[in-house]
Amino acid sequence: MNNPEASIFRFSELTPRPWPNGRGVTRDVANKKSSDGSYDWLISIAELVEDAEFSRYEGCDRILTLVRENSIDLHIDDLSPLRCNPLSPVHFPGDRPTRCTMAGGPSRA
């Protein structure tokens, strides 16, 4: 089996873009788009600097993994808050109203 050549992505070299809802900034690492322009999958690094509503992605599942030291709480619909800790992936539906609150200061996911 052939191993693909490894690539190094430096955060400082990734182009920032606003979240679809305008409440934050993300940097795309890799993605695959469908012929209609929607994402089949997307890997990005989001800056979490304040309490904010997450953008909705209809029909998509999301996995959030914090890569900074501060935890956040996810509020999905009317469910109890879900604590997200660094380096522990959290799975949630992308088409439900979701917001995050900072549990210990800014973070990155």
Side-chain angles (χ1 to χ4, degrees):
M1 173 181 0
N2 291 340
N3 290 327
E5 187 175 318
S7 297
I8 295 175
F9 295 94
R10 300 198 188 288
F11 182 79
S12 62
E13 297 171 355
L14 299 173
T15 304
R17 69 169 172 83
W19 291 357
N21 70 5
R23 296 292 312 269
V25 174
T26 194
R27 289 165 173 82
D28 294 348
V29 175
N31 67 63
K32 180 178 182 245
K33 288 191 175 184
S34 297
S35 58
D36 66 2
S38 64
Y39 291 109
D40 284 338
W41 55 265
L42 167 67
I43 299 171
S44 64
I45 302 171
E47 296 291 320
L48 305 174
V49 297
E50 64 183 3
D51 298 354
E53 299 292 325
F54 276 23
S55 299
R56 290 176 72 166
Y57 289 93
E58 296 298 324
C60 291
D61 292 326
R62 297 180 78 170
I63 300 171
L64 179 142
T65 304
L66 295 174
V67 295
R68 279 256 171 103
E69 64 278 0
N70 294 317
S71 298
I72 65 167
D73 291 323
L74 280 185
H75 305 266
I76 303 166
D77 280 338
D78 293 327
L79 302 175
S80 297
L82 176 62
R83 175 60 53 101
C84 300
N85 295 307
L87 304 179
S88 295
V90 175
H91 180 261
F92 63 101
D95 54 2
R96 295 178 66 185
T98 303
R99 66 183 172 85
C100 75
T101 53
M102 303 292 104
S107 196
R108 188 177 282 164

